[in-house]
Amino acid sequence: MEIKSLLASAEAHEGWLRERLQALVEVESPSEDPAGVNAAGALVEGWARELGGRVKRHKQKEFGDLLELRFGPSRALKKPLLILGHLDTVWSRGTLAKMPWREADGRLWGPGVLDMKFGVVQALAAIKILKEKKLLPPVTLLLVSEEEVGSPVSRPVTERLALESSHVFVLEPAQGLAYKTARKGVGAYTLKVAGVASHAGVDFTRGHSAILEAARLVEKVSAFTDLSRGLTVNCGVFTGGTRLNVVAAEAVVEVDVRIARARDAAYVEKLFRSLKVTDPACRLEVTGGINRPPMERKPGTVRLYKQARKLAAGLGFVLDEAATGGGSDGNFTAGLGVPTLDGMGAVGEGAHAPHEHIVVEHIVPRLALLAGMIAS
């Protein structure tokens, strides 16, 4: 494989990629809208069939369907490569009117263009290039419908396919220009406090405030943060009470947890399950847990990164690696011990923000690098 020939092919296919990227961005596909996600999936399915892809649709009720697309030899001695992406976005229907697809200042703008509709089309473009060059190995492209809300239905499919695969590429956006070799694990806990209601003026002493008790818990939980071990705890939502003249009978705290090491999952669980109320008249219920294991920087992932760095040098640029506190479906596959490389998608800024965009100058080299990684 000559990497420079892949660069020339990527240049020749840039128009093909951009045309389909615009079409996909202009189909709004928020996670909570199965019809929108399925409409985006129908577009991608059509393009995949044009490339000779074998399509399996995993039907869903609450969310859009999952697309399992297989390319390359149907019978091969080696395991396939698994490429992960998602069709859903964080943007509600109607956003396109305020954030239309446009090209300006060397950038392509629109809801979901960075996270991660570019990655979806990039995968198809790389497959198209390698198919034309007869360099395409067995590849499974899994596109899920609910990654932005935690992958509640797709995780079992992702994990099953990962265990059948040699390694995993995740086409989430890059970290700056870098590929991602580590991600923190993600958890969510809910603390529900039940107190005793009373009239704040007439029967103040009869009341036991759930809000006061929850506030004490916020301080305790926040102190779990340990930056030296990569553990962060954020009390992001606090609700409680009914009226200002009523001692609150209930309060709820929603807590985000990030861990850098898999072994810290049990440590965090122990911390949360050991929480107790100070006021014996109040009751505490703790639910939740770690729902995405960390993607730790393991040897298999490092080997993939070093191969990518070598290919990038042949394309004329330096490829760095990065770690991030955010999670992706790559956390699931890495947690199973399958070598996983992440952040292989678009270069841009503004994921989940009104200025979401990708940088045009990086389209061709990132496409060529992905094609090279798939072929090698």
Side-chain angles (χ1 to χ4, degrees):
M1 181 190 67
E2 174 53 53
I3 191 66
K4 288 295 179 67
S5 75
L6 291 180
L7 184 61
S9 294
E11 291 173 347
H13 286 78
E14 182 181 3
W16 186 94
L17 185 156
R18 289 172 63 161
E19 178 183 333
R20 281 153 186 78
L21 179 59
Q22 178 177 354
L24 191 57
V25 169
E26 290 183 338
V27 176
E28 294 184 290
S29 54
S31 309
E32 67 277 7
D33 183 350
V37 174
N38 285 341
L43 266 186
V44 174
E45 180 178 336
W47 300 332
R49 290 189 186 279
E50 291 172 3
L51 298 177
R54 302 177 295 281
V55 178
K56 181 177 181 180
R57 186 180 285 266
H58 298 262
K59 296 282 189 180
Q60 303 297 322
K61 293 181 179 179
E62 185 178 354
F63 298 98
D65 297 340
L66 320 178
L67 281 184
E68 180 184 332
L69 310 172
R70 292 185 181 263
F71 301 89
S74 57
R75 294 184 179 180
L77 295 178
K78 60 181 180 180
K79 290 182 175 181
L81 157 70
L82 176 61
I83 300 177
L84 295 181
H86 61 87
L87 293 164
D88 62 315
T89 75
V90 300
W91 300 105
S92 302
R93 270 194 185 272
T95 300
L96 197 62
K98 299 174 288 185
M99 290 173 57
W101 166 273
R102 63 188 176 95
E103 180 175 355
D105 304 320
R107 291 162 170 76
L108 300 176
W109 309 73
V113 66
L114 175 66
D115 188 12
M116 59 164 288
K117 292 189 174 182
F118 175 86
V120 173
V121 181
Q122 177 195 23
L124 294 175
I127 288 167
K128 186 174 189 294
I129 288 169
L130 295 177
K131 180 178 172 64
E132 292 172 359
K133 290 183 170 292
K134 302 187 183 333
L135 292 172
L136 184 63
V139 173
T140 304
L141 173 60
L142 177 65
L143 303 177
V144 305
S145 59
E146 26 62 282
E147 190 273 345
E148 294 291 6
V149 293
S151 306
V153 298
S154 62
R155 179 175 181 174
V157 177
T158 298
E159 292 182 333
R160 175 176 59 77
L161 293 178
L163 291 172
E164 297 172 1
S165 304
S166 57
H167 49 288
V168 179
F169 293 163
V170 186
L171 300 189
E172 291 280 358
Q175 185 89 347
L177 299 176
Y179 276 3
K180 298 170 185 176
T181 54
R183 285 182 178 272
K184 285 190 175 182
V186 184
Y189 286 87
T190 300
L191 313 180
K192 293 183 179 180
V193 180
V196 178
S198 70
H199 192 294
V202 178
D203 290 317
F204 180 81
T205 57
R206 288 178 177 269
H208 294 268
S209 174
I211 287 179
L212 178 58
E213 197 58 46
R216 292 177 179 136
L217 288 169
V218 166
E219 286 199 322
K220 290 180 185 178
V221 166
S222 298
F224 294 164
T225 292
D226 186 345
L227 298 180
S228 67
R229 67 195 300 163
L231 166 61
T232 60
V233 179
N234 178 63
C235 297
V237 178
F238 190 126
T239 58
T242 53
R243 295 177 180 274
L244 86 103
N245 61 348
V246 178
V247 176
E250 59 181 27
V252 178
V253 184
E254 297 178 37
V255 188
D256 175 273
V257 179
R258 307 283 163 146
I259 58 173
R261 303 177 299 187
R263 64 178 179 270
D264 280 344
Y267 170 72
V268 168
E269 181 71 6
K270 184 178 179 181
L271 288 176
F272 274 87
R273 300 303 170 183
S274 66
L275 287 170
K276 290 182 172 53
V277 289
T278 303
D279 184 343
C282 293
R283 289 179 290 106
L284 171 64
E285 178 187 5
V286 179
T287 57
I290 300 296
N291 50 43
R292 286 185 192 269
M295 174 183 163
E296 299 186 64
R297 188 180 184 273
K298 294 292 182 68
T301 293
V302 173
R303 284 194 296 271
L304 292 174
Y305 164 68
K306 288 182 176 178
Q307 174 70 358
R309 185 178 175 89
K310 180 180 177 182
L311 291 175
L315 292 168
F317 67 94
V318 175
L319 181 72
D320 291 325
E321 63 175 311
T324 178
S328 81
D329 285 350
N331 290 61
F332 300 141
T333 62
L336 295 172
V338 182
T340 300
L341 192 57
D342 206 331
M344 301 176 72
V347 173
E349 294 179 353
H352 301 191
H355 62 287
E356 182 174 4
H357 65 265
I358 66 170
V359 181
V360 171
E361 69 177 278
H362 296 292
I363 291 177
V364 168
R366 300 293 284 200
L367 174 57
L369 180 56
L370 176 61
M373 287 295 290
I374 295 172
S376 64

